[in-house]
Amino acid sequence: MTAFWNAAAGKLVERWLATGLAASVYWLALSVLWLLGTGRPRQEAAHRLRGFGGLDTGEQVALLLIGLVVLAGSSLLMQQLTLPALQLLEGYWPRWAEPISRRLRERHIRRTAAYEAEAGPLLRRRLGLPAAEGGGPPLDVDELVRLGRLEERLRWTPRAERTLATPLGNVLRAAETEPLDKYGLDTMVLWPHLWTLLPDGLRQDLAAARRRVDSAVAAGVWGLLLLPAVLHTPWALLTVPFVYVMWCGVLPGACREFGVLMGAAFDLHRGDLYRALRHPLPSDAAAEIPAGERLTAAVLRGSDDPALLYVPDP
């Protein structure tokens, strides 16, 4: 029985670390803010602890169980809020916010056009093209650094017609549409099919990267939920820089990491997708996009094209 309870306790701790740690930190921070708002946090904390110690064992156990239920319930609630919060951060806003969204999209499109106009001449010089073709002298160190930064920004920028209102949304949109631009494969349609074909290692890396995205989103939401405590103590304003760091610092990096892994999954395993669906592999680079578009259409709507000959099972 001792071994059983030790194993059970270990599983409970593991489960708590996976789902309840953030909720525990939130409620602890809320308690600290409440104590700070009393003006005498040490005395108030000591008083509360003495009051808890004065309860009998049954009352203490009941309070602990209530605390565990609150932690579990708040964790489950946050799991339901994470995806809607991420969609809002991406720029999927309600219809009444469309004027603001449109202006932000237009601003991003203009900025992208300026980046492309600046990167074009630098890239032609980097490739060593002659002056007659828009080239020129080799790039110096500062120009190489500038070109690298421009290419990094453009890497995470979708086409104008796919632009969203927020930088974070454009990072994820660029990652989602990269396989479509490169191979004609629509991620939204084919990702569930490709996921089942990925090796375990890559699936674990993708799942871990997605958890980091969700954790950064949830951390920011937890921070926002602490803001109402500003009515009790100005210390609650410290959550504002925390939310900024989570959503403007940590979250974009996590989204880029997830996007890189998603792109790698299509780069390395799109052939497995063709074979699993018995579609012929593209014969060359020129046939890649048309073949991908046919595959996407067949999965989405089916196909009765007599020119599409399925590859026999091996």
Side-chain angles (χ1 to χ4, degrees), residues 155-156 175 178-179 191 194-195 198 201-210 212 254-269:
R155 160 76 190 281
W156 300 108
E178 183 183 43
W191 181 248
L194 181 64
W195 174 262
L198 297 178
L202 182 53
R203 279 198 290 184
Q204 291 172 5
D205 291 341
L206 280 161
R210 182 54 196 249
R212 285 189 284 273
C255 289
R256 290 189 182 95
E257 180 185 359
F258 180 72
V260 167
L261 289 172
M262 181 186 293
F266 276 94
D267 291 340
L268 299 175
H269 298 285

Side-chain angles (χ1 to χ4, degrees), residues 121-181:
L122 293 175
L123 182 59
R124 287 191 289 271
R125 289 171 55 193
R126 177 70 177 84
L127 296 174
L129 297 179
E133 300 180 14
L139 301 180
D140 59 30
V141 175
D142 293 336
E143 289 174 326
L144 284 171
V145 172
R146 178 60 179 168
L147 177 59
R149 291 175 178 172
L150 290 171
E151 289 182 327
E152 177 67 14
R153 289 173 179 173
L154 293 173
R155 160 76 190 281
W156 300 108
T157 301
R159 294 182 178 180
E161 65 274 13
R162 303 171 184 156
T163 299
L164 293 175
T166 67
L168 180 68
N170 288 315
V171 167
L172 288 174
R173 178 63 67 85
E176 292 166 355
T177 58
E178 183 183 43
L180 181 63
D181 295 332

Side-chain angles (χ1 to χ4, degrees), residues 219-244:
V221 177
W222 285 121
L224 288 180
L225 292 177
L226 287 173
L227 273 180
V230 74
L231 299 175
H232 185 63
T233 173
W235 287 100
L237 290 174
L238 290 176
T239 61
V240 174
F242 171 77
V243 174
Y244 178 83

